[in-house]
Amino acid sequence: MTDTTREWTLAERPRGEPDLDCFDLRERDRPKPDPGELLVRVRYLSVDPYMRGRMRDAESYAEPWAVGDALKGGVVGEVVSSADGRYDAGDLVTGNGTWGDHTLLDADEVAPVDPSVADPPAYLGVLGMPGRTAYFGLLEVGEPKPGDTVVVSGAAGAVGSVVGQIAKLNGCRVVGFAGTDEKTEWLTADLGFDAAINYRTADDYGAALAEAAPDGVDVYFDNVGGPITDAVFGELNLDARVAVCGQIAHYNDEETPTGPRKLPLLIAPRARVQGLLVSDYATRFGEAADRLAGWVADDDIEHRETVVEGLENAPDAFLGLFSGDNVGKQVVRVSSPE
Amino acid sequence: MTDTTREWTLAERPRGEPDLDCFDLRERDRPKPDPGELLVRVRYLSVDPYMRGRMRDAESYAEPWAVGDALKGGVVGEVVSSADGRYDAGDLVTGNGTWGDHTLLDADEVAPVDPSVADPPAYLGVLGMPGRTAYFGLLEVGEPKPGDTVVVSGAAGAVGSVVGQIAKLNGCRVVGFAGTDEKTEWLTADLGFDAAINYRTADDYGAALAEAAPDGVDVYFDNVGGPITDAVFGELNLDARVAVCGQIAHYNDEETPTGPRKLPLLIAPRARVQGLLVSDYATRFGEAADRLAGWVADDDIEHRETVVEGLENAPDAFLGLFSGDNVGKQVVRVSSPE
């Protein structure tokens, strides 16, 4: 045990697709917790598509990272040193920390991790921000009703895989778009999706969707954008709801992307399209946590994490999100129990 | 007085911009009312942008016209012959009839016209379908709050001019896009808009909008689409609401129009975009009629009709909608009181 720790910083802003030059692994003194803080040895850290937005020099819902800043995100880790009465050394917690071997966490903003409910990395996926996003996005924006057809893009990702399963629990027909046969097989064989379309091999998304969703689309949960979304907008039913959760197809665009105009398609079905940020539901995170944990405990929701080994590979894990390397939640294993 | 009447029929479906070849004025025997019907001598008929959709061979919210069919729309006229106990010859009524000298109307679906409230053509505009569209679209989809900035495209049209004035009555800052200096002057000098942008002479819609709406856009009522809408989407505030009422810029497109993708812009502001059809509010038309008539009577809402003379010029009046010939509601005067 040394007095130093490593953490990833933003070396330069990406232009277009990020690469490893954007990241710099620095060594620094291990920080000490101020009152109310915890020093945590990181077990797992989360890489998420939205982080691409924080690498831009533009105000958005998440503050941009400055060049030289430590990268931050969801972590699960073990308390090494506590300056808060509620937590002791050895406790397993989750919160927002740095991409590092160690991180400080604000004790007010951490939650306990209970390995008897689910393995720790699940607290970065189905029991973490992605699960909450799926929960509120589908139920509050999508408003699924029994018998509705729900279409999900990025369906095998951390958010999409939970969206589809909650939709099934609500009595919906569920169709997912994903990028490999392994993923589509997982969706239909393990997660109970009614149909899944491999967008890398499908010739005609519209035709594939018309077959998979013969009664049209009542709810579309969009994580992707681009041509998949173009096809779905052509199939919207009367009073359809579209939750715009992510647009990963466009996060690396340097120029404003162009495509078919969609507004003319909204009038006849009176469709509603709404941007979604999970933080708007912060006062109800406890409700989501309880229900998601219950579904996981009852095996009503399956989850999978794709684990990349080693802090040094965190940038690779992040970049892999844009090529669809992950099935379920992408995490990085930083350390193991001692 | 003869036993025949004239009516406009669809001669051929337009490809792209319609022209006069699409219309055919036919003579036919004047129809006789069956029980429950009224034979009406048309005083004014309404031409509306949505009718372009009925000229296409594609199912939409309004049934397509067949080639050879009489064209239909809102009319104001005088009952010539009544087969319903509620109406007598000489009564002035409004309803949905043919573009003709005479039309049959279903007595269940007409409303009386009271010239002491407003001149008869106003019953095709502020007191007709366009006024109701403005009322429900702004209040139910736009949900304006005092202090909000409301932007309207097609602001000097039949719908937009009413939208802006209802927004002012709700304590909003109102900015309109229109296509001539005469129109922008009307909006700001007579209707109380806070600012108006001539989209034909403005160099940079984004810059013009940033100046006219320095606090961003809370509500956007879109009648137009295209580059105006592109500019507005860049200025949406947190929780902005967009009512997609019309997309006249695209009605004559033969190919799917392309433009900048807008969904990525919706996430950060959690903006909501919703298609709007006034028929969804049919059970509340009485409420709208009462409130709109009250505002007109109190001079809280100004209205203007652009009148083209003569049934033979009805196609020209319709085609003029796409070049923005109308200020306020475009109507055709078919006959005058005898």
Side-chain angles (χ1 to χ4, degrees):
Chain A
M1 183 160 166
T2 73
D3 286 320
T4 62
T5 187
R6 300 174 301 166
E7 65 185 19
W8 283 102
T9 60
L10 183 64
E12 60 181 43
R13 298 198 184 283
R15 297 181 60 85
E17 195 169 345
D19 60 26
L20 294 177
D21 290 342
C22 300
F23 303 90
D24 186 27
L25 186 62
R26 296 211 186 140
E27 195 147 336
R28 56 167 290 195
D29 288 344
R30 195 179 301 173
K32 291 187 170 42
D34 282 329
E37 289 185 330
L38 314 172
L39 177 67
V40 166
R41 189 165 69 93
V42 175
R43 288 257 186 96
Y44 293 92
L45 66 84
S46 177
V47 290
D48 298 276
Y50 81 88
M51 294 169 174
R52 178 64 180 82
R54 300 195 67 180
M55 302 176 82
R56 284 183 199 276
D57 186 18
E59 281 300 327
S60 183
Y61 57 90
E63 202 184 339
W65 286 319
V67 171
D69 272 4
L71 306 183
K72 300 195 77 173
V75 300
V76 166
E78 183 184 326
V79 176
V80 173
S81 165
S82 171
D84 186 275
R86 290 165 288 181
Y87 294 94
D88 296 315
D91 287 349
L92 215 49
V93 297
T94 183
N96 264 295
T98 53
W99 292 17
D101 293 310
H102 295 80
T103 185
L104 290 175
L105 297 179
D106 182 335
D108 284 341
E109 294 175 0
V110 304
V113 166
D114 181 352
S116 73
V117 174
D119 286 341
Y123 282 84
L124 301 176
V126 61
L127 300 180
M129 181 274 289
R132 293 191 290 270
T133 302
Y135 179 89
F136 292 109
L138 179 66
L139 297 179
E140 299 297 323
V141 180
E143 298 183 10
K145 297 185 296 294
D148 277 355
T149 296
V150 176
V151 174
V152 189
S153 61
V159 175
S161 58
V162 179
V163 167
Q165 293 180 87
I166 299 177
K168 288 304 301 178
L169 291 169
N170 279 268
C172 300
R173 177 177 178 81
V174 178
V175 177
F177 280 89
T180 67
D181 289 343
E182 178 200 1
K183 291 178 181 179
T184 58
E185 173 72 11
W186 181 54
L187 295 176
T188 53
D190 294 345
L191 303 193
F193 280 52
D194 297 282
I197 298 165
N198 182 338
Y199 68 83
R200 288 215 170 91
T201 57
D203 286 330
D204 179 336
Y205 298 170
L209 187 62
E211 187 179 329
D215 297 327
V217 177
D218 300 294
V219 178
Y220 177 42
F221 193 106
D222 190 13
N223 294 301
V224 174
I228 294 172
T229 294
D230 297 338
V232 179
F233 269 70
E235 302 292 329
L236 297 178
N237 285 339
L238 185 64
D239 293 327
R241 288 81 67 197
V242 176
V244 185
C245 177
Q247 295 279 285
I248 196 171
H250 305 300
Y251 290 167
N252 292 328
D253 290 342
E254 282 293 298
E255 304 290 325
T256 301
T258 59
R261 290 185 180 275
K262 298 187 182 70
L263 297 193
L265 297 176
L266 299 184
I267 298 176
R270 289 82 115 180
R272 186 185 72 203
V273 182
Q274 180 147 13
L276 162 67
L277 271 191
V278 67
S279 53
D280 289 339
Y281 301 94
T283 59
R284 293 174 55 195
F285 281 178
E287 164 201 329
D290 289 348
R291 294 197 69 190
L292 288 160
W295 284 324
V296 168
D298 295 343
D299 290 330
D300 285 330
I301 289 189
E302 304 277 325
H303 60 97
R304 195 188 284 191
E305 295 82 33
T306 298
V307 181
V308 159
E309 296 291 340
L311 178 64
E312 59 278 14
N313 293 316
D316 283 307
F318 174 71
L319 299 179
L321 296 170
F322 298 94
S323 43
D325 292 354
N326 54 305
V327 181
K329 178 67 187 117
Q330 180 67 59
V331 299
V332 178
R333 186 176 356 238
V334 177
S335 69
S336 298
E338 281 175 338
Chain B
M1 184 161 164
T2 74
D3 286 319
T4 60
T5 187
R6 298 174 301 165
E7 66 186 16
W8 282 101
T9 60
L10 182 64
E12 61 182 41
R13 297 197 185 284
R15 297 180 61 83
E17 195 169 345
D19 59 27
L20 293 177
D21 290 341
C22 299
F23 303 89
D24 186 27
L25 186 61
R26 295 210 187 143
E27 195 147 335
R28 56 168 291 197
D29 288 345
R30 195 178 301 172
K32 290 187 170 41
D34 282 330
E37 289 184 331
L38 312 173
L39 177 67
V40 166
R41 190 165 69 94
V42 176
R43 289 256 185 96
Y44 293 92
L45 67 83
S46 177
V47 291
D48 299 276
Y50 81 88
M51 294 170 174
R52 178 63 180 83
R54 300 195 69 179
M55 300 176 83
R56 283 182 198 278
D57 186 18
E59 280 300 328
S60 183
Y61 57 90
E63 200 185 341
W65 286 319
V67 172
D69 272 4
L71 306 184
K72 301 195 76 173
V75 301
V76 166
E78 182 184 327
V79 176
V80 173
S81 163
S82 172
D84 187 275
R86 290 167 287 180
Y87 294 93
D88 297 313
D91 287 350
L92 215 48
V93 297
T94 182
N96 263 295
T98 53
W99 290 18
D101 293 310
H102 293 80
T103 185
L104 291 175
L105 296 179
D106 182 335
D108 283 341
E109 294 175 0
V110 304
V113 166
D114 180 353
S116 73
V117 174
D119 285 341
Y123 281 84
L124 300 176
V126 61
L127 299 180
M129 182 274 289
R132 293 192 290 269
T133 301
Y135 179 87
F136 291 109
L138 178 68
L139 297 178
E140 297 298 321
V141 179
E143 296 183 10
K145 297 187 297 292
D148 278 354
T149 295
V150 175
V151 175
V152 190
S153 61
V159 175
S161 59
V162 179
V163 168
Q165 293 180 87
I166 299 177
K168 286 305 300 177
L169 291 169
N170 279 267
C172 301
R173 176 176 179 81
V174 177
V175 177
F177 280 90
T180 67
D181 288 342
E182 178 199 1
K183 291 178 181 178
T184 57
E185 173 73 12
W186 182 52
L187 296 177
T188 53
D190 293 345
L191 303 192
F193 280 51
D194 297 282
I197 298 165
N198 181 339
Y199 68 82
R200 288 214 170 92
T201 57
D203 286 330
D204 178 336
Y205 298 171
L209 187 61
E211 188 179 328
D215 297 328
V217 177
D218 300 295
V219 177
Y220 177 43
F221 194 105
D222 190 14
N223 295 301
V224 174
I228 294 171
T229 294
D230 297 339
V232 179
F233 269 69
E235 302 292 329
L236 297 178
N237 285 339
L238 185 66
D239 294 326
R241 288 83 66 196
V242 176
V244 185
C245 178
Q247 295 279 284
I248 197 170
H250 305 300
Y251 290 167
N252 291 328
D253 289 343
E254 282 294 297
E255 305 290 326
T256 301
T258 59
R261 289 185 180 275
K262 298 186 182 72
L263 298 191
L265 298 176
L266 299 184
I267 300 177
R270 288 81 116 180
R272 186 184 73 203
V273 181
Q274 179 147 12
L276 161 67
L277 272 191
V278 68
S279 54
D280 289 341
Y281 301 93
T283 59
R284 292 174 55 196
F285 280 180
E287 165 201 328
D290 289 347
R291 294 196 69 190
L292 288 160
W295 284 323
V296 168
D298 295 343
D299 289 330
D300 286 330
I301 289 189
E302 303 278 325
H303 60 97
R304 193 186 288 190
E305 295 82 34
T306 298
V307 181
V308 160
E309 296 291 341
L311 178 64
E312 59 280 12
N313 293 317
D316 282 308
F318 174 71
L319 299 179
L321 296 171
F322 299 94
S323 44
D325 291 352
N326 55 305
V327 181
K329 178 68 187 112
Q330 180 67 59
V331 298
V332 178
R333 188 182 348 242
V334 177
S335 69
S336 298
E338 280 176 340

